[in-house]
Amino acid sequence: MNITKNQFDILTLILNSKTPLTQREISKSLSKSIGLVNKTIAELISAQYIKNDIITNKGLQTLEPYMAKRAVFIAAGFGSRLVPVTLNTPKPLVRIKGVRIIDTLIDAVLETGINDITVVRGYLGEQFDQLLYKYPCIKFIDNPVYNEANNISSAFYACDLFKNAYVFDSDLVLYNKSLISKYQYSSNYLGAPVEKTDDWCFESKSGIITKMAIGGINCHHMFGISYWTEEDGIKMSDHIKKVYSMPGGKERFWDQVPLEYFISEYKVEIRECAFDDIVEIDTYNELKRLDSAYI
């Protein structure tokens, strides 16, 4: 049985809370009015999804379709802007204060209970085997054309795994692990609100992405962590294959598939984050700012 977004938000908040929450606390945490919270809780009690401020087995079963089941890491690229560090080390395996970049993401995934983890590797691919010592559950997909195509090639080889899945760019240092949660209501992409940017960003209307662009005003800075529902993941598999086979398709970014080529067939929400939550390392100078050992 489908539930509303308000019902979902309150159910997952109750589920993740270590102590019972008052309606006022729920209202403040979710930025919803007391009246709306009161109405929604009454609906959840009536449906027997919660009882005595605790989520019931029926409530848990209702959340099952919204559970994240797997994580896919796009990690095949060279990382040319991090030279000389990446001459001998793939970018996701570069260490920041002793911790590999990709570890900050994998640790967050595992803490939600997701153990189905796939890394799409390419450049110096054998070095990713070192992850197995810490994460024996990881599976690998080798991208044989990583050096002659854009990251859509990695998505092409892994697109059948995009159902109920997080998809990560693997060059992100994640500080706020709560951004990776066990349940997601809809397909979404992380974005931080900005007044102006020259970087990749999202334009939106009512929280739904309407355009992905380079540079924008009053938009959201794009961070490469997205989630895709089962329905959208199934569509995406077909759409990625179509774009990849187009003339010039191999030169595209995989994100362009749902957010440009077939944007009318998706409703991808912006899931807001802050710049303190996550850092994208694009250049060697940014790496030095994060870890003085590289100076």
Side-chain angles (χ1 to χ4, degrees), residues 15 20 35 46 73 79-80 86 128 147 162 170 176 179 199-200 205 207 229 245 260 267 277 279:
L15 181 62
S46 176
F73 290 83
S80 59
T86 49
F128 285 91
N147 62 340
F162 280 24
S170 299
N176 183 0
L179 289 174
D199 212 328
W200 283 99
K205 183 177 181 179
T229 64
S245 64
E260 182 177 332
K267 288 186 177 179
D277 292 331
V279 174

Side-chain angles (χ1 to χ4, degrees), residues 184-190 225-228 268-271:
Q184 291 290 342
Y185 189 75
S186 59
S187 296
N188 58 71
Y189 222 113
L190 280 188
I225 298 178
S226 58
Y227 179 81
W228 303 93
V268 183
E269 294 184 0
I270 293 177
R271 191 156 59 97

Side-chain angles (χ1 to χ4, degrees), residues 72-76 118-122 139-162 236-237 240-241 244 250 254:
V72 178
F73 290 83
I74 306 298
T118 300
V119 175
V120 186
R121 60 185 181 178
K139 295 169 287 187
F140 296 112
I141 291 176
D142 292 309
N143 177 356
V145 296
Y146 72 90
N147 62 340
E148 57 190 66
N150 216 324
N151 70 5
I152 192 174
S153 61
S154 291
F156 174 80
Y157 287 102
C159 61
D160 291 336
L161 300 175
F162 280 24
M236 186 111 64
S237 177
I240 286 174
K241 292 170 184 175
Y244 189 71
K250 293 181 179 179
W254 78 265

